[in-house]
Amino acid sequence: MGIERLPGTSTTGAFPSLLPERRSGTRPVERLCHATGVFLVLSGLVHLMVFLVDGGPWDGPVSWRKPFTFGLSFGLTLIAVAWVTSYLRVGARLRTVLLAVFAADCVVEVAGITLQAWRRVPSHLNTETPFDTAVAMTLALGGAVLVVVLSTFAAAAFRHRPGGPLGMALALRSGFAILIVALLSGAAMIARGTVLSRTGHQQAAYHCTAPLKPLHGVSLHAVLVLPALAWLLSRTSWREATRQRVMYAAVGGYAAAVLGAGIWAALSW
């Protein structure tokens, strides 16, 4: 199963300088992202074990849940983005820079959250001490970097049709579109929490983000789930029409789940 071609073009014709090289090996930046992603996932799993041994609350601003879920989510997302962006029509140098920045940012985000968990203090929106404020501001700045990097990749997915096996273009465009929902919901959580914190409602700031967390979590991983499904379908012997229908059904189902989480957030917030 080869790279999808645009009508009237070839994979070496219209976009020769934009298509990343499809080699049997991986680029150094991809290996870096894969290794970093695995490390972050393992860090998350270690903190799940810490939770099982140490106990404590699962919910709330101070919990072992945060280094577990953030390590797992950031690790999987980093690995996924390093993989799926190889199908985008984006310059190799730009992609390398963006992936390197993204990998570094993922490490900073997980490290800050993990540090504060071990200090037994909230990570986000915590301005109790100058050090806590510095950590919270670093995490907020890191979130802004995530938005810029991932939005750039999303724009590339819609500017030129991505390559890959049948259904990959649909999976990538849908995955990045849903990922934007995750970024917007994350920004909304930080914005509302910051307002409450600065108006003297610190405890309310820590707990106000709960209604948006399901929406944020569900929409965050579409960029991994949908392209993975497209890749798996390309390994089957099913007819192209059948694989295409399955992909449309999967995108529709995922969009319905995001919509449901959004409605629940709107009613609960």
Short mmCIF file of all heavy atoms in Angstrom, two decimals, residues 65-109:
data_model
loop_
_atom_site.label_atom_id
_atom_site.label_comp_id
_atom_site.label_asym_id
_atom_site.label_seq_id
_atom_site.Cartn_x
_atom_site.Cartn_y
_atom_site.Cartn_z
N ARG A 65 -2.33 10.91 40.74
CA ARG A 65 -3.00 10.80 39.44
C ARG A 65 -2.37 11.70 38.40
O ARG A 65 -2.24 11.31 37.22
CB ARG A 65 -4.49 11.14 39.59
CG ARG A 65 -5.22 11.37 38.26
CD ARG A 65 -6.60 11.94 38.49
NE ARG A 65 -6.58 13.16 39.25
CZ ARG A 65 -6.35 14.37 38.74
NH1 ARG A 65 -6.11 14.50 37.44
NH2 ARG A 65 -6.36 15.43 39.51
N LYS A 66 -1.96 12.89 38.80
CA LYS A 66 -1.48 13.87 37.82
C LYS A 66 -0.17 13.43 37.14
O LYS A 66 -0.09 13.43 35.91
CB LYS A 66 -1.35 15.24 38.47
CG LYS A 66 -2.69 15.81 38.93
CD LYS A 66 -2.60 17.25 39.36
CE LYS A 66 -2.40 18.17 38.18
NZ LYS A 66 -2.46 19.60 38.58
N PRO A 67 0.88 13.05 37.88
CA PRO A 67 2.07 12.59 37.16
C PRO A 67 1.83 11.31 36.37
O PRO A 67 2.50 11.07 35.36
CB PRO A 67 3.11 12.39 38.27
CG PRO A 67 2.33 12.28 39.53
CD PRO A 67 1.11 13.12 39.33
N PHE A 68 0.88 10.48 36.83
CA PHE A 68 0.55 9.27 36.08
C PHE A 68 -0.13 9.61 34.76
O PHE A 68 0.33 9.21 33.68
CB PHE A 68 -0.35 8.36 36.92
CG PHE A 68 -1.07 7.30 36.11
CD1 PHE A 68 -0.36 6.39 35.34
CD2 PHE A 68 -2.46 7.25 36.09
CE1 PHE A 68 -1.03 5.42 34.59
CE2 PHE A 68 -3.12 6.29 35.35
CZ PHE A 68 -2.41 5.38 34.59
N THR A 69 -1.23 10.35 34.82
CA THR A 69 -1.99 10.63 33.60
C THR A 69 -1.23 11.56 32.65
O THR A 69 -1.27 11.36 31.44
CB THR A 69 -3.36 11.25 33.94
OG1 THR A 69 -3.17 12.43 34.74
CG2 THR A 69 -4.21 10.26 34.72
N PHE A 70 -0.53 12.54 33.19
CA PHE A 70 0.21 13.45 32.31
C PHE A 70 1.40 12.74 31.67
O PHE A 70 1.70 12.97 30.50
CB PHE A 70 0.67 14.69 33.09
CG PHE A 70 -0.38 15.76 33.18
CD1 PHE A 70 -1.42 15.65 34.09
CD2 PHE A 70 -0.33 16.88 32.37
CE1 PHE A 70 -2.40 16.63 34.18
CE2 PHE A 70 -1.30 17.87 32.45
CZ PHE A 70 -2.35 17.74 33.36
N GLY A 71 2.10 11.90 32.42
CA GLY A 71 3.21 11.16 31.84
C GLY A 71 2.74 10.25 30.72
O GLY A 71 3.34 10.19 29.64
N LEU A 72 1.64 9.54 30.98
CA LEU A 72 1.10 8.63 29.98
C LEU A 72 0.61 9.38 28.75
O LEU A 72 0.92 9.04 27.61
CB LEU A 72 -0.04 7.82 30.60
CG LEU A 72 -0.46 6.54 29.89
CD1 LEU A 72 0.66 5.52 29.87
CD2 LEU A 72 -1.70 5.95 30.56
N SER A 73 -0.17 10.45 28.97
CA SER A 73 -0.76 11.20 27.86
C SER A 73 0.30 11.91 27.03
O SER A 73 0.28 11.85 25.80
CB SER A 73 -1.77 12.21 28.40
OG SER A 73 -2.90 11.56 28.94
N PHE A 74 1.23 12.59 27.69
CA PHE A 74 2.26 13.31 26.95
C PHE A 74 3.17 12.33 26.21
O PHE A 74 3.59 12.60 25.07
CB PHE A 74 3.08 14.20 27.89
CG PHE A 74 2.51 15.57 28.06
CD1 PHE A 74 1.68 15.87 29.12
CD2 PHE A 74 2.81 16.59 27.16
CE1 PHE A 74 1.15 17.14 29.29
CE2 PHE A 74 2.30 17.86 27.31
CZ PHE A 74 1.46 18.14 28.38
N GLY A 75 3.49 11.19 26.83
CA GLY A 75 4.35 10.22 26.17
C GLY A 75 3.70 9.65 24.91
O GLY A 75 4.32 9.59 23.84
N LEU A 76 2.44 9.23 25.04
CA LEU A 76 1.74 8.67 23.88
C LEU A 76 1.54 9.71 22.79
O LEU A 76 1.67 9.42 21.60
CB LEU A 76 0.39 8.10 24.33
CG LEU A 76 0.43 6.83 25.19
CD1 LEU A 76 -0.96 6.45 25.64
CD2 LEU A 76 1.09 5.68 24.43
N THR A 77 1.21 10.94 23.20
CA THR A 77 0.98 12.00 22.22
C THR A 77 2.27 12.33 21.46
O THR A 77 2.26 12.54 20.24
CB THR A 77 0.43 13.27 22.90
OG1 THR A 77 -0.80 12.95 23.56
CG2 THR A 77 0.19 14.37 21.89
N LEU A 78 3.39 12.38 22.18
CA LEU A 78 4.68 12.66 21.54
C LEU A 78 5.02 11.58 20.51
O LEU A 78 5.43 11.89 19.39
CB LEU A 78 5.77 12.77 22.60
CG LEU A 78 7.20 12.98 22.08
CD1 LEU A 78 7.30 14.23 21.22
CD2 LEU A 78 8.17 13.05 23.26
N ILE A 79 4.85 10.32 20.89
CA ILE A 79 5.12 9.24 19.96
C ILE A 79 4.20 9.32 18.75
O ILE A 79 4.62 9.14 17.60
CB ILE A 79 4.97 7.88 20.67
CG1 ILE A 79 6.06 7.71 21.74
CG2 ILE A 79 5.04 6.73 19.67
CD1 ILE A 79 5.84 6.52 22.65
N ALA A 80 2.91 9.59 19.01
CA ALA A 80 1.94 9.67 17.93
C ALA A 80 2.24 10.81 16.96
O ALA A 80 2.21 10.63 15.74
CB ALA A 80 0.53 9.84 18.51
N VAL A 81 2.56 11.98 17.51
CA VAL A 81 2.83 13.14 16.65
C VAL A 81 4.08 12.92 15.82
O VAL A 81 4.13 13.29 14.63
CB VAL A 81 2.94 14.42 17.51
CG1 VAL A 81 3.48 15.59 16.69
CG2 VAL A 81 1.57 14.79 18.11
N ALA A 82 5.10 12.32 16.41
CA ALA A 82 6.32 12.03 15.65
C ALA A 82 6.02 11.10 14.48
O ALA A 82 6.62 11.22 13.41
CB ALA A 82 7.37 11.39 16.56
N TRP A 83 5.09 10.18 14.68
CA TRP A 83 4.73 9.24 13.61
C TRP A 83 3.83 9.89 12.56
O TRP A 83 4.15 9.87 11.36
CB TRP A 83 4.03 8.01 14.21
CG TRP A 83 3.40 7.12 13.19
CD1 TRP A 83 4.00 6.60 12.07
CD2 TRP A 83 2.04 6.67 13.16
NE1 TRP A 83 3.09 5.84 11.35
CE2 TRP A 83 1.89 5.86 12.00
CE3 TRP A 83 0.95 6.85 14.01
CZ2 TRP A 83 0.68 5.26 11.66
CZ3 TRP A 83 -0.26 6.24 13.68
CH2 TRP A 83 -0.39 5.45 12.53
N VAL A 84 2.72 10.47 12.98
CA VAL A 84 1.73 10.93 12.01
C VAL A 84 2.22 12.11 11.18
O VAL A 84 1.80 12.28 10.04
CB VAL A 84 0.39 11.29 12.69
CG1 VAL A 84 -0.17 10.09 13.44
CG2 VAL A 84 0.51 12.49 13.62
N THR A 85 3.13 12.93 11.74
CA THR A 85 3.60 14.08 10.97
C THR A 85 4.50 13.65 9.82
O THR A 85 4.79 14.47 8.93
CB THR A 85 4.35 15.08 11.86
OG1 THR A 85 5.41 14.41 12.56
CG2 THR A 85 3.40 15.72 12.87
N SER A 86 4.94 12.38 9.80
CA SER A 86 5.72 11.90 8.66
C SER A 86 4.86 11.81 7.40
O SER A 86 5.39 11.72 6.29
CB SER A 86 6.34 10.53 8.97
OG SER A 86 5.33 9.54 9.10
N TYR A 87 3.53 11.84 7.55
CA TYR A 87 2.63 11.80 6.40
C TYR A 87 2.24 13.20 5.93
O TYR A 87 1.55 13.33 4.91
CB TYR A 87 1.36 11.03 6.76
CG TYR A 87 1.58 9.56 7.03
CD1 TYR A 87 1.47 9.06 8.32
CD2 TYR A 87 1.89 8.68 6.00
CE1 TYR A 87 1.66 7.71 8.58
CE2 TYR A 87 2.09 7.33 6.25
CZ TYR A 87 1.97 6.85 7.55
OH TYR A 87 2.17 5.52 7.80
N LEU A 88 2.65 14.23 6.67
CA LEU A 88 2.27 15.60 6.30
C LEU A 88 3.23 16.16 5.26
O LEU A 88 4.41 15.83 5.24
CB LEU A 88 2.27 16.50 7.53
CG LEU A 88 1.33 16.12 8.67
CD1 LEU A 88 1.41 17.15 9.78
CD2 LEU A 88 -0.12 15.98 8.17
N ARG A 89 2.72 17.04 4.42
CA ARG A 89 3.54 17.71 3.43
C ARG A 89 4.10 18.99 4.06
O ARG A 89 3.57 20.08 3.88
CB ARG A 89 2.70 18.03 2.19
CG ARG A 89 2.08 16.78 1.54
CD ARG A 89 1.29 17.14 0.28
NE ARG A 89 0.54 16.00 -0.20
CZ ARG A 89 1.02 15.04 -0.98
NH1 ARG A 89 2.28 15.09 -1.36
NH2 ARG A 89 0.26 14.03 -1.37
N VAL A 90 5.16 18.79 4.83
CA VAL A 90 5.80 19.89 5.54
C VAL A 90 7.31 19.72 5.38
O VAL A 90 7.82 18.60 5.31
CB VAL A 90 5.39 19.91 7.03
CG1 VAL A 90 5.82 18.62 7.72
CG2 VAL A 90 5.96 21.12 7.76
N GLY A 91 8.03 20.83 5.29
CA GLY A 91 9.46 20.77 5.09
C GLY A 91 10.16 19.97 6.17
O GLY A 91 9.81 20.04 7.35
N ALA A 92 11.18 19.19 5.78
CA ALA A 92 11.88 18.33 6.73
C ALA A 92 12.54 19.12 7.84
O ALA A 92 12.51 18.72 9.01
CB ALA A 92 12.92 17.49 5.98
N ARG A 93 13.14 20.26 7.50
CA ARG A 93 13.81 21.07 8.53
C ARG A 93 12.81 21.65 9.51
O ARG A 93 13.03 21.62 10.73
CB ARG A 93 14.61 22.19 7.87
CG ARG A 93 15.40 23.05 8.85
CD ARG A 93 16.27 24.06 8.13
NE ARG A 93 17.23 23.39 7.26
CZ ARG A 93 18.07 24.04 6.46
NH1 ARG A 93 18.05 25.37 6.41
NH2 ARG A 93 18.92 23.37 5.71
N LEU A 94 11.70 22.16 9.00
CA LEU A 94 10.67 22.72 9.88
C LEU A 94 10.11 21.63 10.80
O LEU A 94 9.91 21.84 12.00
CB LEU A 94 9.55 23.34 9.05
CG LEU A 94 8.34 23.86 9.85
CD1 LEU A 94 8.75 24.93 10.83
CD2 LEU A 94 7.26 24.37 8.89
N ARG A 95 9.85 20.46 10.22
CA ARG A 95 9.31 19.36 11.03
C ARG A 95 10.29 18.96 12.12
O ARG A 95 9.89 18.69 13.27
CB ARG A 95 9.00 18.17 10.13
CG ARG A 95 8.52 16.93 10.89
CD ARG A 95 8.03 15.85 9.93
NE ARG A 95 7.70 14.64 10.66
CZ ARG A 95 8.49 13.57 10.75
NH1 ARG A 95 9.67 13.58 10.12
NH2 ARG A 95 8.13 12.51 11.43
N THR A 96 11.57 18.91 11.79
CA THR A 96 12.58 18.55 12.79
C THR A 96 12.59 19.53 13.95
O THR A 96 12.62 19.14 15.12
CB THR A 96 13.97 18.50 12.14
OG1 THR A 96 14.00 17.46 11.15
CG2 THR A 96 15.05 18.22 13.17
N VAL A 97 12.55 20.82 13.62
CA VAL A 97 12.55 21.85 14.67
C VAL A 97 11.30 21.75 15.54
O VAL A 97 11.37 21.78 16.78
CB VAL A 97 12.66 23.26 14.04
CG1 VAL A 97 12.45 24.34 15.10
CG2 VAL A 97 14.02 23.44 13.36
N LEU A 98 10.15 21.61 14.89
CA LEU A 98 8.90 21.55 15.64
C LEU A 98 8.85 20.31 16.54
O LEU A 98 8.40 20.39 17.69
CB LEU A 98 7.72 21.54 14.67
CG LEU A 98 7.44 22.83 13.91
CD1 LEU A 98 6.32 22.64 12.90
CD2 LEU A 98 7.10 23.97 14.87
N LEU A 99 9.31 19.17 16.05
CA LEU A 99 9.30 17.97 16.86
C LEU A 99 10.27 18.07 18.03
O LEU A 99 9.97 17.62 19.14
CB LEU A 99 9.64 16.74 16.00
CG LEU A 99 8.55 16.24 15.06
CD1 LEU A 99 9.06 15.04 14.26
CD2 LEU A 99 7.30 15.85 15.83
N ALA A 100 11.44 18.68 17.79
CA ALA A 100 12.40 18.85 18.89
C ALA A 100 11.84 19.76 19.97
O ALA A 100 11.97 19.47 21.17
CB ALA A 100 13.72 19.40 18.34
N VAL A 101 11.21 20.85 19.55
CA VAL A 101 10.59 21.76 20.52
C VAL A 101 9.46 21.07 21.27
O VAL A 101 9.32 21.20 22.49
CB VAL A 101 10.07 23.03 19.80
CG1 VAL A 101 9.21 23.87 20.74
CG2 VAL A 101 11.23 23.85 19.26
N PHE A 102 8.66 20.30 20.53
CA PHE A 102 7.54 19.59 21.14
C PHE A 102 8.03 18.58 22.17
O PHE A 102 7.48 18.47 23.27
CB PHE A 102 6.73 18.90 20.05
CG PHE A 102 5.47 18.24 20.55
CD1 PHE A 102 4.52 18.96 21.25
CD2 PHE A 102 5.23 16.90 20.30
CE1 PHE A 102 3.35 18.36 21.70
CE2 PHE A 102 4.07 16.29 20.74
CZ PHE A 102 3.13 17.02 21.45
N ALA A 103 9.08 17.83 21.83
CA ALA A 103 9.64 16.84 22.77
C ALA A 103 10.15 17.53 24.04
O ALA A 103 9.88 17.06 25.16
CB ALA A 103 10.76 16.06 22.09
N ALA A 104 10.89 18.62 23.87
CA ALA A 104 11.40 19.34 25.03
C ALA A 104 10.27 19.88 25.89
O ALA A 104 10.31 19.82 27.13
CB ALA A 104 12.32 20.48 24.57
N ASP A 105 9.23 20.39 25.24
CA ASP A 105 8.10 20.95 25.97
C ASP A 105 7.35 19.86 26.75
O ASP A 105 6.91 20.08 27.88
CB ASP A 105 7.16 21.64 24.99
CG ASP A 105 6.25 22.64 25.68
OD1 ASP A 105 6.63 23.17 26.75
OD2 ASP A 105 5.14 22.88 25.18
N CYS A 106 7.20 18.68 26.15
CA CYS A 106 6.55 17.58 26.85
C CYS A 106 7.31 17.20 28.12
O CYS A 106 6.71 16.94 29.17
CB CYS A 106 6.46 16.36 25.93
SG CYS A 106 5.25 16.51 24.59
N VAL A 107 8.64 17.18 28.02
CA VAL A 107 9.46 16.86 29.19
C VAL A 107 9.28 17.92 30.28
O VAL A 107 9.12 17.60 31.46
CB VAL A 107 10.94 16.74 28.79
CG1 VAL A 107 11.83 16.61 30.03
CG2 VAL A 107 11.15 15.55 27.88
N VAL A 108 9.29 19.18 29.88
CA VAL A 108 9.13 20.27 30.85
C VAL A 108 7.78 20.18 31.55
O VAL A 108 7.68 20.34 32.78
CB VAL A 108 9.29 21.64 30.15
CG1 VAL A 108 8.88 22.77 31.09
CG2 VAL A 108 10.74 21.83 29.70
N GLU A 109 6.72 19.93 30.79
CA GLU A 109 5.38 19.85 31.37
C GLU A 109 5.28 18.71 32.38
O GLU A 109 4.80 18.89 33.50
CB GLU A 109 4.34 19.66 30.26
CG GLU A 109 4.16 20.85 29.35
CD GLU A 109 3.44 21.99 30.05
OE1 GLU A 109 2.32 21.78 30.53
OE2 GLU A 109 4.01 23.09 30.11
#
